[in-house]
Amino acid sequence: MALYGEARDISLFRTINRELMGNIISQECIYYKYRLAETKVNMYGEAADGRYFFDPVILNCLIERQDQEYPESDLGVDFQWGITFKFLRDDLLGKNPCIDNQPDNVYGANLVPEVGDVIMYQNGYYEVDNTNANQFFVGKNPDYPFLDDEGNNPLETDLANFGSSISIICQTHYVPGDRYNIQRQRL
Amino acid sequence: MGALFFHIYNQNIMANIPIWPGSSSFHPGDTPFGFYDYDSDFQKDADKVANFCALRLGYPIENVELQDINFYAAFEEAVTVYANELFAYKQREEFLTLEGTPYSYENTNVDLQNAIITPNLQRIVDLSEQYGTWAGVGGNVDWYSGSVVLTSSIQDYDLDAWATSQGLTGSDVEIMRIFYQGPPAIDEMYTPYAAGFGFDGDAAAFAFMGGGYGFGDNFLMMPLSYDMQTIQAIEMSNDVRLSNYTFQLINNKLRIFPVPGRDDDGCNLWFEYMLKSDEACASVDVDPNAISNISQVPFRNMDYNGINSVGRAWIFEYTLALVKEILGYVRGKYTQVPIPGAEITLNQADLLSSAEADKNKLIDRLREYFESTSRQSLLERRQAESVARNSELGEVPMTIFIG
């Protein structure tokens, strides 16, 4: 039976992370989730009529910025800026009635970062190139308790209560906002 | 965005343990033991102490990963530690008086918390019984008499054999006194036959027979020291010139000097003894209703309402130290706490070392304070004050009164 990394410990980590990211570091970004079902594609698989996004969501995150680059090509001078956005995975879950029903609760974004989403940071837009959800506390992800069809695990009965997938890390690159028909409306 | 749920994530297991929200409301039963839950002042102070500790730990600037019950537990422990230190000090101070006294009276347990204890000498007397026993001047063990019959020319007598003949065990017998001695020197003082060393016997003392002091009713009153010196002289003469009475007792084998003569044959040589088993029994007094050790001194849980502001201030500080310790353990269960893409180390080490130092300092301070109010310390201080006062008064010029 697992002993460490139980849900009670994970709760402490969540509290510390939210304090650290929300109150101490306080880096934020705006997340635009790609609306795949409403985006029409042509016979070449191109979104010729434009891409559609859900309403933006503001999130706490840890931001790791690379240096801006200005490569020159035959078309002129370009602009490149890669940024890595690190999210606390629990912030991205939907509201949980068991824990997120406090009136002042700001968590429960209910989104899954995917390639193609767009993140707004300092008036710039960054398209997600890839996502990485590979930080498991004590090496376990409770989403996978290895239960059989009858809901049993002969080695471990409560594996779903241990471990945690801590983060989702999105690597992005800068894109001009007009390319996605995203207009700045607020902020 | 309902369709974007993490469909594989079982949110029911995502426990969320609340932490200190900034306020609390104490209710009886919120502490682990409930020793003081119904003391009105404790109920009032519990929430204040919780708030005090949280503020001292940085709230609301920083989160304090504790709940109100953690604060209450620390508060209760601090009161208990305070009471324990106080009562332990009182026990040390008074145990000589308390040992042996009943801890219940008419089926009601006594509580010494509010008792004023006046010391008495009974235990000192009890402790001195052992010396009285061996000195033959009291004590708590009976002495018995025994005798062996002397046989002329037999010098050694086995008292173990005597004990066996009396139904006793030789190893249980402790000979305390042997009555084997010559007649007192004063018997010889007034006999004319004691003049072997130039002493004139009773003639000198009472001026009979014209011993140089005249006839008739004339006599000379000699000082008592003269008699004492004479007796000592007789005793020393007997020791040096004659075979004086003495004996040797080794392992209950009695050897007497001089060797008994024909006149001694059949006489009893008396001695006194006690039984070691009696002595052992006298040392143990089993009384199930009496205080026989420190743990039975009837100090109950302290009445929090009765603790003064000095005591409460100490309790608040000690509570804070305990809360630091709890928070240190909470933050230090895992050395590294994961954050997205990295790990951080919390301040567990600082909290624990600070808590340890604070606790030790507070305990030392409390003990020092108690010791400074002990009976001995108070009397010493009073004596010092008296000396200082007299010294100061001595500086006042003494005027000469002319009437």
Side-chain angles (χ1 to χ4, degrees), chain A residues 4-5 7 9 11-17 19-20 33 54 57 62 86-90 93-94 96 99 110-112 135 137 142-144 160-161 166-167, chain B residues 1-6 8-19 61-65 67 330-331 333-334 336-344 346:
Chain A
Y4 292 91
D9 298 335
S11 174
L12 174 68
F13 296 160
R14 187 185 311 119
T15 301
I16 292 172
N17 269 279
E19 180 188 17
L20 181 73
K33 177 66 191 168
F54 285 100
V57 177
L62 300 177
K86 302 174 183 177
F87 300 101
L88 182 66
R89 187 176 182 271
D90 285 352
L93 299 174
N96 184 337
I99 63 172
N110 193 18
L111 63 86
V112 181
Q135 187 182 6
F137 183 63
D143 291 345
Y144 299 94
N161 286 326
I166 300 292
S167 64
Chain B
M1 275 189 274
L4 298 174
F5 266 108
F6 279 77
I8 54 174
Y9 198 99
N10 179 6
Q11 293 197 19
N12 288 331
I13 65 167
M14 194 172 147
N16 190 51
I17 312 300
I19 61 171
I61 305 299
E62 294 176 2
N63 282 343
V64 176
E65 293 84 13
Q67 297 181 354
V330 169
R331 289 183 178 172
K333 180 179 178 181
Y334 299 99
Q336 302 288 325
V337 172
I339 63 172
E343 290 180 328
I344 58 170
L346 302 180

XYZ file of all heavy atoms in Angstrom, chain A residues 4-5 7 9 11-17 19-20 33 54 57 62 86-90 93-94 96 99 110-112 135 137 142-144 160-161 166-167, chain B residues 1-6 8-19 61-65 67 330-331 333-334 336-344 346:
617
model
N 2.874 7.517 0.866
C 3.144 8.943 0.677
C 2.457 9.467 -0.574
O 2.189 8.734 -1.509
C 4.652 9.183 0.580
C 5.347 8.917 1.886
C 5.861 7.663 2.172
C 5.444 9.912 2.842
C 6.474 7.408 3.385
C 6.053 9.666 4.050
C 6.574 8.416 4.315
O 7.169 8.173 5.519
N 2.196 10.761 -0.534
C 1.579 11.411 -1.687
C 0.083 11.209 -1.741
O -0.524 11.170 -2.811
N -3.987 12.121 -1.035
C -4.737 13.310 -1.458
C -4.582 14.463 -0.483
O -4.618 15.633 -0.874
C -6.210 12.943 -1.618
N -1.878 15.234 1.198
C -0.615 15.908 0.877
C -0.758 16.754 -0.386
O -0.237 17.870 -0.469
C 0.498 14.879 0.678
C 0.755 14.064 1.943
O 0.453 14.581 3.033
O 1.252 12.928 1.833
N -3.325 18.153 -1.449
C -4.082 19.366 -1.110
C -3.155 20.450 -0.580
O -3.300 21.629 -0.913
C -5.151 19.026 -0.067
O -5.790 20.195 0.374
N -2.192 20.039 0.258
C -1.220 21.006 0.769
C -0.419 21.611 -0.382
O -0.203 22.824 -0.439
C -0.286 20.330 1.778
C 0.871 21.190 2.276
C 0.348 22.335 3.129
C 1.865 20.345 3.057
N 0.015 20.759 -1.304
C 0.801 21.262 -2.433
C -0.029 22.254 -3.253
O 0.476 23.273 -3.724
C 1.250 20.113 -3.341
C 2.175 19.144 -2.665
C 2.351 17.861 -3.162
C 2.878 19.509 -1.528
C 3.204 16.984 -2.542
C 3.731 18.623 -0.906
C 3.886 17.353 -1.414
N -1.285 21.904 -3.444
C -2.154 22.789 -4.235
C -2.261 24.150 -3.553
O -2.162 25.198 -4.198
C -3.526 22.148 -4.373
C -4.454 22.900 -5.319
C -5.851 22.285 -5.329
N -5.801 20.849 -5.503
C -6.266 19.976 -4.606
N -6.807 20.396 -3.486
N -6.201 18.684 -4.838
N -2.423 24.099 -2.223
C -2.530 25.363 -1.480
C -1.255 26.185 -1.626
O -1.299 27.395 -1.873
C -2.786 25.055 0.001
O -3.986 24.296 0.118
C -2.909 26.334 0.802
N -0.112 25.508 -1.465
C 1.163 26.216 -1.555
C 1.375 26.749 -2.971
O 1.810 27.891 -3.176
C 2.314 25.282 -1.127
C 2.200 24.991 0.367
C 3.659 25.885 -1.478
C 3.150 23.939 0.859
N 1.030 25.948 -3.970
C 1.210 26.388 -5.354
C 0.340 27.591 -5.674
O 0.784 28.537 -6.323
C 0.880 25.229 -6.298
C 2.107 24.391 -6.624
O 2.898 24.756 -7.478
N 2.281 23.289 -5.921
N -0.807 29.745 -3.542
C -0.285 30.919 -2.848
C 0.934 31.468 -3.588
O 1.067 32.673 -3.811
C 0.105 30.563 -1.415
C 0.659 31.763 -0.649
C 1.220 31.394 0.705
O 1.485 30.199 0.942
O 1.425 32.298 1.528
N 1.811 30.539 -3.986
C 3.043 30.954 -4.661
C 2.743 31.626 -6.001
O 3.244 32.718 -6.308
C 3.941 29.730 -4.868
C 5.273 29.978 -5.537
C 6.209 30.695 -4.577
C 5.906 28.666 -5.985
N -8.907 29.133 -25.834
C -9.034 27.724 -26.211
C -9.621 27.614 -27.615
O -10.636 28.238 -27.936
C -9.947 27.027 -25.187
C -10.242 25.578 -25.483
C -8.981 24.744 -25.386
C -9.237 23.353 -25.953
N -7.971 22.638 -26.136
N -12.848 29.835 -27.817
C -13.739 30.099 -26.684
C -13.357 31.431 -26.046
O -12.298 32.008 -26.324
C -13.604 28.981 -25.637
C -14.280 27.708 -26.059
C -13.552 26.652 -26.593
C -15.653 27.551 -25.907
C -14.162 25.484 -26.964
C -16.266 26.372 -26.282
C -15.522 25.333 -26.815
N -9.725 32.965 -20.886
C -9.683 32.664 -19.442
C -8.356 33.183 -18.908
O -7.298 32.929 -19.498
C -9.783 31.143 -19.194
C -9.659 30.845 -17.709
C -11.076 30.588 -19.750
N 3.514 30.058 -14.424
C 4.933 30.427 -14.355
C 5.418 30.579 -15.784
O 5.172 29.700 -16.625
C 5.731 29.348 -13.626
C 5.293 29.075 -12.179
C 6.122 27.938 -11.582
C 5.447 30.321 -11.329
N 3.812 27.577 -17.759
C 3.662 26.406 -16.893
C 2.428 26.595 -16.010
O 2.370 27.533 -15.222
C 4.909 26.237 -16.016
C 6.188 26.094 -16.842
C 7.417 26.088 -15.939
C 8.683 26.007 -16.781
N 9.898 26.071 -15.930
N 1.497 25.717 -16.154
C 0.232 25.820 -15.408
C 0.162 24.740 -14.330
O 0.621 23.607 -14.533
C -0.964 25.635 -16.356
C -1.017 26.668 -17.447
C -0.578 26.377 -18.738
C -1.509 27.940 -17.189
C -0.629 27.325 -19.738
C -1.562 28.897 -18.194
C -1.122 28.594 -19.469
N -0.460 25.135 -13.245
C -0.810 24.128 -12.240
C -2.009 23.371 -12.791
O -3.043 23.968 -13.077
C -1.165 24.799 -10.912
C -1.511 23.867 -9.760
C -0.284 23.052 -9.338
C -2.043 24.648 -8.569
N -1.854 22.105 -12.919
C -2.895 21.330 -13.597
C -4.240 21.437 -12.873
O -5.293 21.480 -13.528
C -2.466 19.857 -13.673
C -3.391 18.980 -14.501
C -2.830 17.575 -14.594
N -3.642 16.710 -15.421
C -4.659 15.996 -14.966
N -4.978 16.081 -13.692
N -5.341 15.210 -15.768
N -4.198 21.519 -11.547
C -5.467 21.592 -10.809
C -6.233 22.871 -11.128
O -7.454 22.907 -11.007
C -5.213 21.531 -9.295
C -4.870 20.121 -8.852
O -4.978 19.192 -9.683
O -4.471 19.944 -7.691
N -8.615 22.310 -14.132
C -9.760 21.402 -14.047
C -11.054 22.191 -13.958
O -11.067 23.370 -13.613
C -9.629 20.517 -12.811
C -8.397 19.612 -12.770
C -8.336 18.909 -11.436
C -8.426 18.626 -13.914
N -12.158 21.512 -14.261
C -13.454 22.133 -14.075
C -13.752 22.308 -12.600
O -13.094 21.737 -11.730
N -14.957 21.777 -9.154
C -15.345 20.586 -8.417
C -16.306 21.008 -7.319
O -15.939 21.797 -6.456
C -14.095 19.936 -7.805
C -14.417 18.632 -7.104
O -15.547 18.410 -6.694
N -13.424 17.779 -6.976
N -14.978 20.971 -3.726
C -13.918 21.825 -3.191
C -13.945 23.229 -3.748
O -13.318 24.118 -3.214
C -12.532 21.212 -3.479
C -12.308 21.132 -4.983
C -12.408 19.852 -2.834
C -10.901 20.718 -5.332
N -11.509 24.733 -16.409
C -12.127 23.701 -17.216
C -11.657 23.762 -18.671
O -12.441 23.970 -19.589
C -13.644 23.830 -17.143
C -14.326 22.592 -17.702
O -13.682 21.544 -17.830
N -15.591 22.710 -18.031
N -10.399 23.633 -18.839
C -9.875 23.585 -20.210
C -8.690 22.633 -20.293
O -7.987 22.404 -19.305
C -9.478 24.981 -20.700
C -8.353 25.746 -19.992
C -6.983 25.379 -20.530
C -8.591 27.243 -20.172
N -8.533 22.094 -21.498
C -7.408 21.198 -21.751
C -6.478 21.875 -22.747
O -6.876 22.129 -23.886
C -7.894 19.858 -22.334
C -6.706 18.932 -22.579
C -8.878 19.201 -21.403
N 4.815 15.720 -15.080
C 5.388 15.939 -13.749
C 4.478 15.260 -12.721
O 3.495 15.835 -12.263
C 5.511 17.444 -13.455
C 6.240 17.743 -12.163
C 6.300 19.242 -11.868
O 5.694 20.048 -12.578
N 7.010 19.615 -10.825
N 3.936 13.637 -9.102
C 4.487 13.565 -7.737
C 4.515 12.112 -7.290
O 3.555 11.377 -7.499
C 3.629 14.402 -6.779
C 4.180 14.421 -5.385
C 5.420 14.981 -5.127
C 3.487 13.843 -4.346
C 5.937 14.989 -3.852
C 4.002 13.849 -3.067
C 5.239 14.417 -2.815
N -2.815 9.711 -10.384
C -4.012 9.017 -9.867
C -5.066 8.763 -10.939
O -6.033 8.047 -10.679
C -4.529 9.979 -8.799
C -3.964 11.302 -9.148
C -2.654 11.038 -9.807
N -4.901 9.344 -12.131
C -5.864 9.064 -13.190
C -5.765 7.623 -13.672
O -6.669 7.136 -14.349
C -5.605 9.986 -14.382
C -5.959 11.420 -14.054
O -6.658 11.618 -13.040
O -5.539 12.328 -14.785
N -4.687 6.990 -13.314
C -4.467 5.631 -13.828
C -4.223 4.670 -12.667
O -3.088 4.309 -12.352
C -3.267 5.604 -14.783
C -3.490 6.491 -15.982
C -3.037 7.800 -15.998
C -4.200 6.014 -17.096
C -3.273 8.627 -17.093
C -4.438 6.838 -18.190
C -3.958 8.135 -18.178
O -4.201 8.936 -19.252
N -5.709 5.251 -6.757
C -6.274 6.513 -7.248
C -6.177 7.619 -6.214
O -6.428 8.786 -6.522
C -7.731 6.308 -7.627
N -5.814 7.278 -5.001
C -5.708 8.295 -3.944
C -4.293 8.812 -3.761
O -4.038 9.602 -2.854
C -6.177 7.712 -2.611
C -7.672 7.577 -2.557
O -8.389 8.385 -3.124
N -8.146 6.531 -1.911
N 1.155 17.194 -11.559
C 1.270 18.543 -11.013
C 0.995 19.616 -12.054
O 0.282 20.581 -11.794
C 2.682 18.763 -10.413
C 2.946 17.761 -9.298
C 2.850 20.204 -9.948
C 2.106 17.957 -8.061
N 1.555 19.451 -13.234
C 1.573 20.613 -14.142
C 1.257 20.219 -15.573
O 1.322 19.055 -15.961
C 2.970 21.252 -14.098
O 3.928 20.341 -14.589
N -17.661 25.550 -21.737
C -16.563 24.605 -22.008
C -16.775 23.272 -21.306
O -15.865 22.619 -20.873
C -15.245 25.224 -21.548
C -14.645 26.105 -22.603
S -12.996 26.604 -22.170
C -13.337 28.010 -21.184
N -18.035 22.922 -21.146
C -18.319 21.701 -20.421
C -17.730 20.479 -21.082
O -17.378 19.507 -20.418
N -17.581 20.516 -22.342
C -17.062 19.327 -23.023
C -15.580 19.140 -22.796
O -15.017 18.119 -23.179
C -17.337 19.442 -24.512
N -14.949 20.086 -22.179
C -13.496 20.003 -22.052
C -13.048 19.479 -20.698
O -11.922 19.671 -20.306
C -12.898 21.388 -22.293
C -13.176 21.921 -23.703
C -12.681 23.344 -23.822
C -12.531 21.030 -24.756
N -13.933 18.838 -19.996
C -13.547 18.243 -18.712
C -12.394 17.261 -18.900
O -12.266 16.621 -19.937
C -14.715 17.463 -18.101
C -15.519 18.294 -17.144
C -16.780 18.737 -17.465
C -14.996 18.636 -15.896
C -17.505 19.506 -16.593
C -15.736 19.398 -15.014
C -16.985 19.840 -15.351
N -11.613 17.184 -17.871
C -10.631 16.099 -17.872
C -11.412 14.833 -17.574
O -11.642 14.480 -16.429
C -9.579 16.306 -16.769
C -8.508 17.260 -17.178
C -8.725 18.618 -17.197
C -7.268 16.781 -17.562
C -7.742 19.484 -17.580
C -6.269 17.661 -17.942
C -6.496 19.024 -17.958
N -10.941 11.821 -17.634
C -10.386 10.651 -16.967
C -9.994 10.969 -15.526
O -9.544 10.110 -14.790
C -9.137 10.128 -17.703
C -8.132 11.261 -17.874
C -9.527 9.515 -19.008
C -6.813 10.792 -18.467
N -10.161 12.189 -15.130
C -9.725 12.559 -13.786
C -10.868 12.365 -12.804
O -11.947 12.926 -12.967
C -9.273 14.030 -13.785
C -8.423 14.371 -12.601
C -7.041 14.423 -12.695
C -9.014 14.623 -11.359
C -6.269 14.727 -11.606
C -8.244 14.926 -10.265
C -6.859 14.981 -10.400
O -6.104 15.284 -9.315
N -10.639 11.589 -11.813
C -11.665 11.335 -10.805
C -11.605 12.438 -9.760
O -10.806 12.400 -8.840
C -11.432 9.978 -10.155
C -12.466 9.705 -9.088
O -13.404 10.472 -8.926
N -12.286 8.614 -8.391
N -12.456 13.422 -9.915
C -12.353 14.577 -9.029
C -12.819 14.291 -7.611
O -12.581 15.073 -6.713
C -13.178 15.727 -9.608
C -12.579 16.229 -10.909
C -13.116 17.589 -11.274
O -13.633 18.301 -10.446
N -12.959 17.954 -12.534
N -13.499 13.183 -7.430
C -13.963 12.886 -6.073
C -12.797 12.666 -5.117
O -12.933 12.845 -3.919
C -14.861 11.652 -6.089
C -16.189 11.972 -6.732
O -16.638 13.104 -6.676
N -16.787 10.982 -7.357
N -11.678 12.250 -5.630
C -10.543 11.996 -4.742
C -9.738 13.266 -4.510
O -8.783 13.267 -3.774
C -9.612 10.923 -5.336
C -8.991 11.439 -6.627
C -10.369 9.633 -5.543
C -7.846 10.582 -7.089
N -10.120 14.330 -5.153
C -9.312 15.537 -5.061
C -9.661 16.277 -3.783
O -10.359 17.282 -3.783
C -9.586 16.418 -6.279
C -8.600 17.526 -6.500
S -8.931 18.285 -8.077
C -8.492 19.947 -7.726
N -9.218 15.705 -2.700
C -9.535 16.299 -1.399
C -8.951 17.695 -1.304
O -7.891 17.972 -1.856
C -8.970 15.431 -0.295
N -9.674 18.540 -0.644
C -9.174 19.884 -0.412
C -9.234 20.149 1.085
O -10.307 20.273 1.656
C -10.030 20.913 -1.157
C -9.384 22.282 -1.138
O -8.210 22.405 -1.473
N -10.135 23.286 -0.749
N -8.069 20.185 1.710
C -8.002 20.360 3.154
C -7.930 21.846 3.431
O -6.948 22.502 3.054
C -6.780 19.644 3.741
C -6.696 18.211 3.206
C -6.819 19.680 5.257
C -7.901 17.367 3.538
N -8.928 22.405 4.069
C -8.896 23.862 4.299
C -7.788 24.247 5.254
O -7.411 23.469 6.140
C -10.271 24.156 4.896
C -10.758 22.866 5.431
C -10.141 21.789 4.605
N -7.278 25.411 5.079
C -6.253 25.939 5.985
C -6.827 27.147 6.706
O -7.982 27.523 6.486
C -4.960 26.304 5.223
C -5.231 27.382 4.194
C -4.370 25.060 4.575
C -3.977 27.947 3.555
N -0.352 38.073 5.220
C 0.585 38.218 4.093
C 0.866 36.848 3.486
O 0.958 36.680 2.275
C 1.909 38.857 4.573
C 1.635 40.194 5.275
C 2.866 39.038 3.404
C 0.994 41.226 4.414
N 1.023 35.872 4.350
C 1.293 34.516 3.875
C 0.252 33.571 4.446
O -0.330 33.827 5.503
C 2.679 34.056 4.337
C 3.815 34.831 3.720
C 5.148 34.396 4.280
O 5.148 33.464 5.106
O 6.158 34.980 3.898
N 0.050 32.488 3.730
C -0.830 31.453 4.243
C -0.181 30.739 5.416
O 1.045 30.612 5.490
C -1.133 30.418 3.165
C -2.173 30.914 2.180
O -2.882 31.876 2.469
N -2.255 30.271 1.036
N -0.989 30.295 6.321
C -0.529 29.430 7.402
C -1.265 28.105 7.220
O -2.482 28.033 7.372
C -0.848 30.050 8.779
C -0.449 29.096 9.887
C -0.118 31.370 8.932
N -0.523 27.087 6.863
C -1.148 25.821 6.491
C -1.549 25.027 7.732
O -1.097 23.893 7.957
C -0.196 25.003 5.606
C 0.070 25.600 4.241
C 1.163 26.652 4.262
O 1.869 26.735 5.283
O 1.302 27.389 3.279
N -4.994 24.490 10.719
C -6.407 24.727 10.992
C -6.573 25.176 12.435
O -5.656 25.064 13.244
C -7.198 23.447 10.731
C -7.133 23.000 9.277
C -7.954 21.745 9.031
O -8.478 21.141 9.954
N -8.045 21.358 7.772
N 4.462 20.275 9.089
C 3.576 20.272 7.923
C 4.375 20.628 6.668
O 4.284 19.956 5.641
C 2.418 21.272 8.126
C 1.659 21.484 6.828
C 1.474 20.767 9.216
N 5.169 21.664 6.788
C 5.900 22.131 5.597
C 7.106 21.264 5.286
O 7.729 21.432 4.238
C 6.354 23.576 5.807
C 5.193 24.549 5.779
C 5.638 25.978 5.922
N 4.490 26.889 5.850
C 4.560 28.183 6.099
N 5.717 28.734 6.434
N 3.481 28.931 6.021
N 7.211 17.734 5.633
C 7.033 16.304 5.388
C 7.748 15.907 4.111
O 8.353 14.844 4.020
C 5.541 15.976 5.291
C 5.286 14.508 5.036
C 3.803 14.190 4.975
C 3.585 12.717 4.660
N 2.158 12.372 4.578
N 7.662 16.774 3.109
C 8.413 16.553 1.874
C 9.453 17.652 1.750
O 9.113 18.838 1.836
C 7.475 16.569 0.667
C 6.421 15.489 0.730
C 5.145 15.787 1.165
C 6.729 14.178 0.395
C 4.178 14.792 1.242
C 5.779 13.183 0.477
C 4.503 13.491 0.899
O 3.563 12.507 0.996
N 11.088 18.624 -0.787
C 10.859 19.427 -1.974
C 9.371 19.404 -2.287
O 8.764 18.333 -2.333
C 11.630 18.852 -3.165
C 13.135 18.738 -2.953
C 13.809 20.091 -2.970
O 13.402 20.970 -3.710
N 14.839 20.250 -2.159
N 8.821 20.560 -2.496
C 7.408 20.654 -2.873
C 7.355 20.966 -4.363
O 7.977 21.930 -4.822
C 6.701 21.755 -2.065
C 5.295 21.979 -2.593
C 6.672 21.387 -0.599
N 6.617 20.153 -5.103
C 6.598 20.396 -6.564
C 5.752 21.601 -6.929
O 4.679 21.828 -6.371
C 5.977 19.099 -7.106
C 5.129 18.591 -5.991
C 5.815 18.994 -4.710
N 6.273 22.387 -7.850
C 5.496 23.444 -8.483
C 5.626 23.178 -9.979
O 6.465 22.365 -10.388
C 6.009 24.850 -8.111
C 7.438 25.047 -8.612
C 5.930 25.065 -6.610
C 7.931 26.479 -8.448
N 4.837 23.793 -10.785
C 4.909 23.481 -12.224
C 6.319 23.644 -12.785
O 6.889 24.731 -12.758
C 3.923 24.482 -12.843
C 2.909 24.690 -11.767
C 3.689 24.665 -10.485
N 6.855 22.563 -13.238
C 8.154 22.580 -13.878
C 9.333 22.716 -12.947
O 10.461 22.866 -13.410
N 9.135 22.665 -11.655
C 10.257 22.841 -10.737
C 9.880 22.315 -9.355
O 8.822 21.698 -9.162
C 10.649 24.320 -10.660
N 10.737 22.566 -8.405
C 10.461 22.209 -7.017
C 10.960 23.336 -6.130
O 11.910 24.048 -6.480
C 11.184 20.907 -6.637
C 10.612 19.672 -7.324
C 11.353 18.418 -6.928
O 12.576 18.531 -6.664
O 10.732 17.353 -6.878
N 10.339 23.474 -4.992
C 10.791 24.497 -4.042
C 10.987 23.860 -2.674
O 10.439 22.801 -2.387
C 9.780 25.664 -3.930
C 8.406 25.141 -3.485
C 9.691 26.422 -5.224
C 7.435 26.241 -3.128
N 10.528 24.652 1.344
C 9.869 25.562 2.279
C 10.768 25.789 3.501
O 11.868 25.255 3.597
C 8.511 24.988 2.683
C 7.560 24.717 1.508
C 6.250 24.161 2.011
C 7.322 25.978 0.707
